[in-house]
Amino acid sequence: MSLPPPLNPTARILMGPGPSNVHPRILQAMALPTIGHLDPEFIKIMDGTKAMLKTVFRTENELTLPVSGTGSAGQEACVANMVEPGDRCVVCIHGVFGNRMADMVARNGGEVVKVEAPWGQPIDPADVAAALAGGKTKLVAIVHAETSTGVLQPLEEISRLTHDHGALFLVDTVTSLGGHPVEVDAWGIDACYSGTQKCLGIPPGLAPITFSPRAVAALEARKSKVSSWYLDMTLVRAYWGQDRVYHHTAPVLHIYALYEALREVASEGLRARWERHNRAGSYLQDELKARGLELLAEPEHQLAPLTAVRVPERVDGPRVQERLLREHGIEIGGGLGPSAPAMWRIGLMGYNARVEIADRVLAALDTVLADEPTLSPTA
Ligand SMILES: *Cc1c(COP(=O)(O)O)cnc(C)c1O
């Protein structure tokens, strides 16, 4: 075999559902000297990372750390640690990521009780109440920001119902953390996971998680071992806690990136960052609507960092996506999952959550749509 060519990826504007572009300062952090994962200097970096993560999650939870793996690893960590065989779990499904949650709960031996909402709509708390009334439930799981539909799910009412029942509340904040208000303590969230490549703007590879004292008590009261050795928080926390017991080699350079990104969040201010995402997202949404395009989510449940746009009738959605990438260097997403209606998903996350970046995609979309042939009505 001849030597494959050296890496030479084209710089893109990443406006899909993730990853988002990474701030140059964060990339520079990843080029700093690698040190050992038990080096006293690294341990200080770990402690700083944990402390800053608590601020971003708005929690006092002691068990707050980045899982080594992408957002899905955080999801699996929450499910695997909270669910034991036979546990009845209410899983809310208003898009692709809720479905994935149901699959994970079932793989861990949980009994899945599904509560569903149609595409583009949030879960109705009354449906959760009805599901809880059906039997003693260990856990209610839900996605806060459904990246497959652009819907922001209100959480407080469902949290109240969950706690009135005595169940644990598990929430996916992969696309909201750092881009939308997330209030782990105030909203009574017991197990929460996120990812780094969306609104935090770090390359994919880490999944911040946080467990409330109630979640830790449930973990400690388990009758069976956590099915995954790698994601077993009773083992992982021994490394991230005072004992520093080797469990796995932390991805040192990714932790540098997270540390630097969290410093960035702290210096910008969490509220200012939420506001920046909100401004950029609302601007994009208003401009899309002004062009006669239709959004999938209703305005009162519309996410700022991710906008799902219906592909106009007789326009070839994937072809437009491909042209944006090839002719304009802009990546946007398409529909996710076999039952998704024809859509484009446009992300304004992290470093990219700016009006100038929204203008880039709008101008490119105008240019492409102006000379796109329309499909014949029978196509
Ligand atoms: C992206 C995403 C995930 C999965 O994260 P990965 O980093 O792709 O593993 C989970 N939930 C939601 C809502 C997401 O948007």
Side-chain angles (χ1 to χ4, degrees):
M1 190 193 84
S2 61
L3 191 62
L7 290 172
N8 187 23
T10 306
R12 311 279 200 205
I13 303 179
L14 299 175
M15 304 189 67
S20 58
N21 288 99
V22 179
H23 193 288
R25 190 155 58 242
I26 293 168
L27 288 175
Q28 278 162 15
M30 298 187 84
L32 293 171
T34 302
I35 57 177
H37 67 287
L38 293 169
D39 186 310
E41 283 189 28
F42 188 65
I43 285 174
K44 281 206 191 107
I45 295 169
M46 291 167 74
D47 287 344
T49 303
K50 279 203 304 189
M52 290 190 285
L53 267 185
K54 284 191 194 175
T55 310
V56 173
F57 272 126
R58 308 265 300 148
T59 185
E60 296 297 326
N61 290 342
E62 201 40 52
L63 184 42
T64 302
L65 54 84
V67 170
S68 307
T70 66
S72 306
Q75 185 170 16
E76 197 127 45
C78 286
V79 171
N81 283 271
M82 291 298 106
V83 177
E84 285 193 79
D87 285 343
R88 184 179 197 269
C89 301
V90 170
V91 180
C92 300
I93 301 175
H94 58 112
V96 166
F97 293 100
N99 254 320
R100 207 181 258 190
M101 192 94 81
D103 190 4
M104 288 181 187
V105 168
R107 283 169 192 242
N108 280 277
E111 178 204 337
V112 177
V113 179
K114 292 184 183 177
V115 172
E116 296 178 88
W119 273 95
Q121 285 176 36
I123 296 289
D124 183 345
D127 294 338
V128 176
L132 285 169
K136 181 67 199 150
T137 304
K138 166 87 169 283
L139 178 83
V140 173
I142 196 162
V143 175
H144 183 215
E146 207 7 294
T147 324
S148 61
T149 62
V151 168
L152 181 70
Q153 171 71 48
L155 293 175
E156 285 167 278
E157 175 68 5
I158 295 175
S159 173
R160 192 183 60 72
L161 293 166
T162 301
H163 292 304
D164 285 353
H165 184 90
L168 295 164
F169 194 38
L170 192 168
V171 180
D172 174 320
T173 60
V174 176
T175 294
S176 47
L177 193 71
H180 251 294
V182 169
E183 298 279 354
V184 166
D185 287 358
W187 295 346
I189 300 174
D190 293 303
C192 188
Y193 62 91
S194 191
T196 50
Q197 80 273 30
K198 301 194 183 177
C199 297
L200 292 175
I202 310 166
L206 290 174
I209 64 159
T210 186
F211 282 10
S212 73
R214 252 191 317 255
V216 171
L219 175 58
E220 286 169 353
R222 285 179 67 104
K223 293 188 280 295
S224 56
K225 276 189 176 180
V226 176
S227 65
S228 163
W229 177 88
Y230 189 68
L231 298 172
D232 182 342
M233 284 305 132
T234 64
L235 304 176
V236 174
R237 73 172 170 181
Y239 170 51
W240 279 86
Q242 292 312 309
D243 301 341
R244 309 292 173 184
V245 181
Y246 164 69
H247 173 258
H248 68 279
T249 310
V252 172
L253 303 182
H254 271 86
I255 304 285
Y256 291 175
L258 178 58
Y259 182 93
E260 195 54 37
L262 293 170
R263 281 189 68 236
E264 184 101 10
V265 174
S267 93
E268 178 177 12
L270 199 48
R271 267 163 225 288
R273 193 179 177 90
W274 295 338
E275 191 41 50
R276 177 164 61 79
H277 279 81
N278 189 38
R279 218 168 27 245
S282 307
Y283 172 79
L284 174 71
Q285 287 147 15
D286 288 346
E287 290 291 319
L288 290 168
K289 284 189 271 190
R291 285 160 170 77
L293 292 163
E294 203 187 315
L295 308 188
L296 205 78
E298 285 148 12
E300 66 272 32
H301 299 298
Q302 174 65 58
L303 267 172
L306 194 284
T307 305
V309 192
R310 287 189 194 277
V311 174
E313 233 173 289
R314 299 173 61 191
V315 169
D316 183 342
R319 204 184 114 98
V320 168
Q321 252 176 277
E322 190 267 323
R323 285 190 62 195
L324 286 174
L325 189 69
R326 186 164 38 84
E327 298 168 17
H328 298 271
I330 296 177
E331 177 180 279
I332 66 166
L336 187 61
S339 52
M343 66 171 106
W344 296 309
R345 290 182 302 142
I346 306 178
L348 285 168
M349 301 179 183
Y351 184 41
N352 283 352
R354 285 175 283 149
V355 168
E356 309 91 90
I357 301 289
D359 274 332
R360 296 283 287 271
V361 78
L362 288 163
L365 205 53
D366 287 344
T367 309
V368 168
L369 287 177
D371 65 1
E372 222 3 59
T374 52
L375 299 173
S376 68
T378 51

